[in-house]
Amino acid sequence: MSDTVHGHGGEDGETRRDFLVLASAALGAAGAGLAIWPLIDSMNPAKDVLALSTIEVDLTPIAVGQRITVKWRGKPVFVDHRSPEQIAKAAADDNASLKDPQTDKDRVKKPEWLVLVGVCTHLGCVPLGQKVGQPRGDFGGWFCPCHGSHYDTSGRIRVGPAPVNLEVPTYSFLNDTTLRIG
Amino acid sequence: MSASSQQQGPVVRWIDQRLPIFSFLQHELHEYPTPKNLNYWWNFGSLAGIVLVIMIATGIFLAMNYTPHVDHAFDSVERIMRDVNYGWLIRYVHMNGASMFFLVVYIHIFRGLYYGSYKPPRELLWWLGLIILLLMMATAFMGYVLPWGQMSFWGATVITNLFSAIPWVGEPIVTWLWGGFAVDNPTLQRFFSLHYLLPFVIVAVVMLHLVALHTAKSNNPLGIDPKSDKDTIPFHPYYTIKDSFGLGVLLIVYMALVFYAPNALGEAENYVPANPLQTPEEIVPEWYLLPFYAILRSVPDKLGGVVLMFASIFILFVLPWLDTSKVRSARFRPIYRQVFWIFVLACIVLGWAGAQKPEGAALMIGRLATAYYFFHLLILMPILGKFEKTRPLPESISQPVLKN
Amino acid sequence: MTIFKFTAAAAVTALLAFTAAASEAPVPPAQSWSFSGPFGTYDRAALQRGFQVYKEVCAGCHSLRHVYYRDLAALGYNEDEIKAIAASVEVQDGPNDQGEMFTRPGRPYDRFKSPFPNDNAARAANNGALPPDLSVITKARPHGHDYLYALMTGYKEPPADMKMTEGMQYNTAYAGNQIAMVPPLSEGSIEYKDGTKATVPQMARDVTVFLAWTAEPEMEERKRLGYKVLLFLLVLTGVLYAAMRRVWSKVH
């Protein structure tokens, strides 16, 4: 293609810099940007998903020493009714060498109830130790079989590749026997 | 190599020497010499392209929340309308987008008919456009089935049953289409799969349509070929800005529908979940298929109706040869100019007839319009070209302007 | 120019033709609704009264499957009120750890409880007629709002020459005038919490407003966003028009 100008409509360099053209380009770009937002936002959690983002757990059937798993936001949550020995062990380990130092007191609201998101902080596997007979690792807490992370009775990482302690979700006690997670 | 890509930075030049995307865009979108006398009717091609993009974009996000299963389809659409963020907006844009797409494409086709854009050397361009229309119809039909309302179900039943009119193999073909003995879950699942696939096939054919366009070059309201550089202007900025303005007008109409009358073009019956045991009192296709529905019903014979309906589209493929006139634009064809509008009217009457119960006056009017549709294409077009006294064509595109 | 006139005429004809797609039911007389028009909104008091009518009258037979108790926040109820409303019904849940289904009080994230466990049970309890789900009923009938009001207020004595089928009711708004639903509303059959007099037309209006909301809960947001979008597009199109004139002024 030669650089001859077609017809009489030359100087398109000048035209393009025209204020009106710039204004319409800017407005159009802003409009397109805004129009994309509904599409992006449709991928965020929908109302029915958000409605399920808090759950209530009845604590009465959980005996001392028993651990149960509930599903919250698509993930397992461990509710551990700890025995006095387990509480003592967790408190004693506050001074051990910890990868992610945290005292047991900071990780619970009531010492007998330990609530954890049951997802290994390494790569997202669910650690073992919830059921009777499963390995609980070298520290009596949980053991992740994927890459060998050991958690103690406070859910703190002690040995293995996981970088931080098991996450404690937002929760509160509605009364003595009802736990609300989320 | 084009002059302006030499002016670009080293990165652009490096890429362009290996993959000439920049000089391609420069050549096809920027410099593309376009007749300078295109009127607003020439906006509708690019508008159709933009509506296609809107349909694909909204469709992709709808598919993220839609469940193609007879037990969940209706509910998942309601969930999109109620719980998904902006789900109602995305669905209404998609739903009304189908109507907008057909509206724009029909105007585009009638523009081609008026200005003779199907004549040599643009026959393949015209064919590709007709293929796009056929693909659009298939896509729209299958999309309408997805919400699994009463019209979805019975529309699917009636349309797939058209194939049972084929002698000998009709029944097995219908069973094969359904994947069962009635429209059911297998049908819904394959329709969803195809409804997702076909738009991308349309995109591919649109690309070919554009290649053919840029090879044969754009027609124009005078129907004569550009003679010199004086007759053309570069596509950018002249037609980019004109198309943008056209898009603004289209979006105003489109969004007014989406926000203030989102269900005006739909059937209330489709908000009733599909019930295979009860047919609605009246089955009416979406407005853009009504003319073809009228042709189908104008023949009292099952096979005859189906054949005539398909013929009404396939006949358009041979239009470049049915039209014997050497003059492209209706501006210089005093008689064609009149009968063209009668043809448009016949198509609209067909649309009206398609929405009525097939009995009494409506059926007769539908039959007359069907007859005229074929009379126009099969008889009038060849004869007119032979006997019509056309007006003299101007010297060039820029000449009538220079006279003033 | 003639092209434009022609097309305009054609478009109008086409629109008239397409909207005239006939339906058997008589066209109900148009009512005025607070939610019609481009700036229309739902009347919160009417919504709450309509919800009461639904709960105390319609809910005996008609489900509202697509509505959740949490949605009632749009009617102006607060979180505790919604919890209480949800808890007033027993919903089935499960299976529990023993593999058994159990019932528990409803929670805000539950769907409105359906009166029947499935369609067949609903038919069996209603002489074979299935009471339709009401979630999107105003969208699922032509002239939905006016139709619903006309239906609720349309029960009359049948004309002397009309032969009624056993168990059917005469209704002026219904296609064919014979409907299986017994007249649901009667003067004073409920007591409005806000003291409004519960006449049949009043209850019919209120429940229509409520069902308009269940069908189109997004309506207010839609119309609010709509005029912003249209205003923006008008400005953009205006600027584009001016820019187009400027660019094209160089072409002769």
Side-chain angles (χ1 to χ4, degrees), chain B residues 7-20:
Chain B
Q7 297 154 9
Q8 307 289 350
V11 178
V12 168
R13 208 160 49 234
W14 188 91
I15 296 171
D16 208 52
Q17 278 162 358
R18 286 152 184 83
L19 183 72

Side-chain angles (χ1 to χ4, degrees), chain C residues 100-119:
Chain C
E100 276 150 23
M101 303 303 281
F102 59 94
T103 60
R104 57 161 175 81
R107 303 223 178 97
Y109 56 73
D110 285 316
R111 288 170 185 272
F112 268 46
K113 193 190 178 184
S114 297
F116 303 103
N118 54 58
D119 285 358

Side-chain angles (χ1 to χ4, degrees), chain B residues 292-311:
Chain B
F292 303 101
Y293 196 53
I295 294 176
L296 170 79
R297 298 192 303 182
S298 68
V299 185
D301 175 65
K302 186 175 176 181
L303 180 60
V306 176
V307 167
L308 206 65
M309 184 181 73
F310 282 105

Side-chain angles (χ1 to χ4, degrees), chain B residues 101-274:
Chain B
F101 201 8
F102 276 96
L103 179 72
V104 164
V105 162
Y106 282 150
I107 294 175
H108 186 61
I109 293 172
F110 279 118
R111 189 269 288 160
L113 287 174
Y114 187 84
Y115 293 107
S117 300
Y118 47 85
K119 292 186 194 184
R122 300 189 179 85
E123 303 95 318
L124 288 185
L125 179 59
W126 174 253
W127 278 21
L128 289 164
L130 290 173
I131 291 170
I132 293 171
L133 176 65
L134 288 170
L135 287 169
M136 277 172 65
M137 287 177 169
T139 310
F141 159 65
M142 288 190 278
Y144 194 60
V145 176
L146 303 185
W148 210 241
Q150 273 288 68
M151 280 295 169
S152 301
F153 181 88
W154 292 101
T157 301
V158 168
I159 301 295
T160 48
N161 260 316
L162 293 180
F163 293 92
S164 70
I166 304 168
W168 306 107
V169 291
E171 287 295 333
I173 284 181
V174 173
T175 308
W176 173 78
L177 279 175
W178 288 340
F181 304 103
V183 173
D184 208 335
N185 200 48
T187 327
L188 178 61
Q189 286 187 309
R190 64 190 59 183
F191 276 18
F192 178 56
S193 168
L194 293 172
H195 181 72
Y196 206 114
L197 169 71
L198 286 188
F200 296 96
V201 178
I202 293 179
V203 169
V205 183
V206 166
M207 295 293 174
L208 295 176
H209 193 65
L210 284 176
V211 171
L213 173 70
H214 284 227
T215 306
K217 305 285 186 242
S218 303
N219 187 23
N220 65 77
L222 295 174
I224 55 174
D225 294 328
K227 298 273 187 328
S228 69
D229 283 351
K230 280 186 178 169
D231 292 344
T232 61
I233 44 177
F235 190 84
H236 181 74
Y238 297 102
Y239 287 107
T240 39
I241 191 111
K242 195 170 176 179
D243 284 347
S244 302
F245 167 67
L247 176 65
V249 175
L250 177 80
L251 284 179
I252 288 172
V253 176
Y254 186 177
M255 290 303 130
L257 263 181
V258 164
F259 286 105
Y260 293 102
N263 293 303
L265 296 171
E267 280 293 320
E269 195 73 35
N270 220 30
Y271 281 104
V272 179

Side-chain angles (χ1 to χ4, degrees), chain C residues 89-224:
Chain C
V89 299
E90 287 286 308
V91 299
Q92 196 182 46
D93 200 349
N96 61 14
D97 293 346
Q98 281 74 48
E100 276 150 23
M101 303 303 281
F102 59 94
T103 60
R104 57 161 175 81
R107 303 223 178 97
Y109 56 73
D110 285 316
R111 288 170 185 272
F112 268 46
K113 193 190 178 184
S114 297
F116 303 103
N118 54 58
D119 285 358
N120 287 356
R123 278 201 188 84
N126 288 284
N127 284 328
L130 176 68
D133 181 84
L134 297 182
S135 311
V136 288
I137 200 74
T138 60
K139 284 203 281 191
R141 299 286 181 275
H143 316 283
H145 311 120
D146 298 336
Y147 169 75
L148 213 60
Y149 179 81
L151 191 76
M152 293 294 103
T153 54
Y155 287 94
K156 300 265 152 54
E157 279 300 311
D161 56 338
M162 182 150 176
K163 271 193 78 169
M164 296 293 293
T165 313
E166 177 72 30
M168 300 297 262
Q169 313 289 325
Y170 182 80
N171 191 305
T172 51
Y174 197 68
N177 297 129
Q178 300 201 49
I179 187 168
M181 174 168 63
V182 293
L185 306 173
S186 59
E187 181 92 28
S189 60
I190 68 167
E191 204 168 306
Y192 277 132
K193 288 193 184 103
D194 65 0
T196 308
K197 196 157 181 282
T199 62
V200 171
Q202 179 68 42
M203 289 187 282
R205 259 194 101 72
D206 290 341
V207 81
T208 303
V209 176
F210 174 68
L211 292 174
W213 167 76
T214 63
E216 297 181 276
E218 89 297 344
M219 187 213 66
E220 290 180 351
E221 189 194 353
R222 168 158 59 77
K223 288 178 176 173
R224 267 202 310 273

